[in-house]
Amino acid sequence: MSDSHLNLVYGPQHRNWVRLRTLVLLRWVAIVGQIAALLVAQGIFELKLPYLICYVAIAVSGSINIFALLLFPENKRLSETQNAVLLIFDLLQLEFLLFMTGGLNNPFSLLILGPVTVSASVMKLRTTILVGTVAIVSVTLMISFNYPLSHVDGSIYAIPNLILFGNWAAIVIAILFMGAYSYRISTEIQSMSQALVATQMALSRAQKLTDLGGVVAATAHELGTPLATIKLASAELIDELQDQPVLREDAQLIRAQADRCRDILRSMGRAGNDDLHMRQAPIKALIDEAAEPHLDRGKHIIVSAEGSDQDHPSVFRKPEIIHGLRNLIQNAVDFADQTVWVDIRWSQNAIWVKICDDGAGFPPHLIGRLGDPFMRHRKDTKDHGERPEYEGMGLGLFIAKTLLERSGARLTFANGADSQVALELSQQQTGAVVLVSWPRKKIDAKTDPKLTHTGHNVPLKI
């Protein structure tokens, strides 16, 4: 799955798709809260503060909101730079209000975490670092520089220096922790969303190809009879038009074109119409179908099956199973030196498919994370040359794992060099090992009495 496919869904800067209306709404909430705090401080607690300057700062924030609503449409999407400017303004406006109302002696100083968290959730790392740096520097300056928080009778409210330092340390640590935590969670959610979209696109493509194959096969089957009739009628005309060479040539042309249509349909469709028996296949036939696109890529693919012939599983030909196994085989072919082995085993209760190769194997430090959407680009030109079909987004194993788990499978990743795995492998099978196991009742059509008898074929409606 390449960047171009995902860009069609998300666009090149999907992290920055934040509506202006969202930030405007948040700013209105902040303005209402700031006004309420000043009114309570003045009316109930009778604090002596520069209220006029504070209300002017709040009015500036409200004016920006009004101008933004007047100048831009409600569905305006902000760019990275616009997001950064607005968040830094909100941060500086809040810190100015805190500076005028006691600095870190003001319990509302914790609100500085708001802009930093928003930045970490919707913006790039460098912008988040910038916003966090501005917040930390401002908080540090407010320790020594602030308008004292005093009562109308002249008494000053100030917390002890030890508690003041503790507040500063807590806010700085919270900025670092909340920023890093929010950014990491946001990145993982975004990566998972993209990976799931890529998986759905891959499954949809596989389903469309399967449906298209059925339609083509049905077309080839249904057109066989009329083409045979045309061929028979044209042959009779050729015999009857011996004394009319011009018309005889037309009849021969009709027969030749009918033969051409037959050959085209034979090459397009290999099976009959929507045959219910084609909805299931022996497990080895399914593996052969999954491996077929990679047979001519210069690597030897060996498929073996072991089990009772009378108990051979007939599994559902689900697109997710075929596409998932195909991705695993592709990954093995990509990194194999010469050979890929696909071993099929089954018992009365389970079915196993083991895919291994003679390559270098999985990086040991990544085995625990295999199947996660790494969503990173491959910068190694050597790797890109070895895997020309891959765009290097790290989605191959994730797509395979997601699709196969949807069918009830469980995947295990290992290396052939591992001591526990090496006992079950040959000396050549030293590369990556992927074991896919299903409870037999999940995919074996024979285990479901309702599916043992396929019933009547239903013609496709085109």
Side-chain angles (χ1 to χ4, degrees):
M1 189 64 60
S2 64
D3 287 344
S4 58
H5 291 96
L6 290 178
N7 283 343
L8 292 175
V9 180
Y10 287 100
Q13 295 181 335
H14 48 271
R15 277 190 66 89
N16 311 320
W17 281 12
V18 179
R19 290 190 305 171
L20 175 63
R21 184 178 181 181
T22 300
L23 293 183
V24 167
L25 179 60
L26 292 176
R27 191 177 292 114
W28 281 127
V29 173
I31 289 173
V32 172
Q34 291 167 1
I35 294 175
L38 290 176
L39 292 176
V40 170
Q42 185 178 13
I44 298 178
F45 296 103
E46 297 181 348
L47 297 179
K48 184 180 179 181
L49 298 173
Y51 291 104
L52 180 59
I53 298 178
C54 293
Y55 284 120
V56 170
I58 297 174
V60 172
S61 182
S63 300
I64 291 180
N65 263 7
I66 295 174
F67 284 127
L69 293 176
L70 294 177
L71 295 177
F72 300 101
E74 291 186 356
N75 59 352
K76 167 70 176 176
R77 300 284 181 175
L78 298 177
S79 66
E80 178 80 9
T81 303
Q82 293 169 336
N83 269 328
V85 170
L86 290 178
L87 282 178
I88 291 177
F89 167 79
D90 290 336
L91 180 61
L92 293 177
Q93 189 258 4
L94 175 60
E95 290 173 341
F96 177 79
L97 291 176
L98 291 174
F99 168 78
M100 301 302 297
T101 56
L104 295 185
N105 294 289
N106 189 330
F108 289 103
S109 57
L110 287 175
L111 294 176
I112 291 176
L113 296 176
V116 177
T117 304
V118 172
S119 175
S121 300
V122 301
M123 303 178 73
K124 295 181 180 178
L125 180 60
R126 60 185 180 185
T127 306
T128 301
I129 293 176
L130 174 61
V131 175
T133 302
V134 172
I136 292 174
V137 171
S138 302
V139 169
T140 304
L141 292 176
M142 280 194 294
I143 294 179
S144 302
F145 304 98
N146 59 78
Y147 192 90
L149 193 63
S150 59
H151 194 264
V152 292
D153 60 6
S155 59
I156 296 177
Y157 296 102
I159 59 179
N161 290 335
L162 180 61
I163 305 300
L164 186 66
F165 176 79
N167 284 349
W168 172 84
I171 293 175
V172 171
I173 293 174
I175 289 174
L176 296 175
F177 175 78
M178 292 298 295
Y181 180 81
S182 299
Y183 181 82
R184 184 59 182 266
I185 293 298
S186 175
T187 301
E188 290 188 359
I189 292 175
Q190 171 201 346
S191 298
M192 187 62 68
S193 298
Q194 290 191 15
L196 289 175
V197 169
T199 304
Q200 293 294 336
M201 292 172 65
L203 180 59
S204 177
R205 180 174 60 183
Q207 183 65 58
K208 288 180 179 178
L209 291 176
T210 301
D211 294 342
L212 181 60
V215 171
V216 172
T219 303
H221 179 75
E222 298 296 339
L223 290 181
T225 300
L227 285 176
T229 303
I230 294 174
K231 184 177 179 180
L232 177 62
S234 60
E236 294 178 353
L237 288 175
I238 291 173
D239 294 337
E240 295 177 1
L241 296 174
Q242 296 289 342
D243 55 344
Q244 301 184 39
V246 177
L247 296 178
R248 188 169 182 270
E249 290 180 0
D250 292 340
Q252 291 174 341
L253 178 62
I254 293 174
R255 180 176 179 177
Q257 294 302 310
D259 290 338
R260 182 183 177 188
C261 290
R262 178 200 59 195
D263 295 338
I264 292 175
L265 290 174
R266 282 181 179 178
S267 64
M268 292 174 62
R270 298 180 182 177
N273 61 351
D274 189 23
D275 194 340
L276 294 176
H277 291 279
M278 294 299 294
R279 297 180 183 177
Q280 59 189 58
I283 182 66
K284 188 176 185 302
L286 195 73
I287 299 297
D288 291 336
E289 181 179 352
E292 183 179 4
H294 308 294
L295 295 178
D296 57 350
R297 293 184 55 196
K299 307 293 176 65
H300 189 201
I301 301 178
I302 301 176
V303 181
S304 62
E306 181 178 324
S308 172
D309 292 336
Q310 297 179 351
D311 195 30
H312 196 289
S314 180
V315 300
F316 298 117
R317 296 184 68 259
K318 295 181 178 180
E320 54 264 36
I321 297 179
I322 298 174
H323 195 80
L325 292 173
R326 183 170 295 161
N327 269 15
L328 295 179
I329 295 174
Q330 173 183 334
N331 192 75
V333 171
D334 287 337
F335 291 104
D337 290 336
Q338 295 180 346
T339 309
V340 173
W341 293 268
V342 183
D343 299 327
I344 309 166
R345 303 289 184 270
W346 62 85
S347 66
Q348 293 182 350
N349 299 319
I351 298 175
W352 299 274
V353 175
K354 182 171 60 180
I355 303 171
C356 49
D357 59 70
D358 57 352
F362 297 119
H365 65 284
L366 291 181
I367 288 182
R369 297 178 57 199
L370 291 176
D372 291 342
F374 299 149
M375 305 298 293
R376 66 167 179 256
H377 300 281
R378 290 183 179 269
K379 298 181 179 180
D380 193 339
T381 56
K382 179 181 177 181
D383 288 346
H384 183 73
E386 292 177 352
R387 311 187 75 189
E389 298 87 354
Y390 241 64
E391 293 293 335
M393 291 195 67
L395 288 175
L397 289 179
F398 173 81
I399 291 175
K401 186 172 183 290
T402 302
L403 293 179
L404 291 173
E405 286 180 346
R406 177 180 295 185
S407 68
R410 180 181 179 184
L411 276 70
T412 304
F413 302 95
N415 283 326
D418 296 341
S419 57
Q420 296 181 351
V421 181
L423 297 176
E424 304 176 1
L425 303 177
S426 66
Q427 295 181 353
Q428 294 81 16
Q429 298 173 348
T430 58
V433 179
V434 182
L435 178 63
V436 187
S437 59
W438 289 271
R440 186 157 180 169
K441 61 183 180 180
K442 292 287 187 179
I443 62 170
D444 191 350
K446 295 180 181 178
T447 61
D448 191 340
K450 298 180 181 178
L451 298 174
T452 302
H453 304 286
T454 53
H456 299 287
N457 289 325
V458 181
L460 288 174
K461 296 182 180 179
I462 305 176

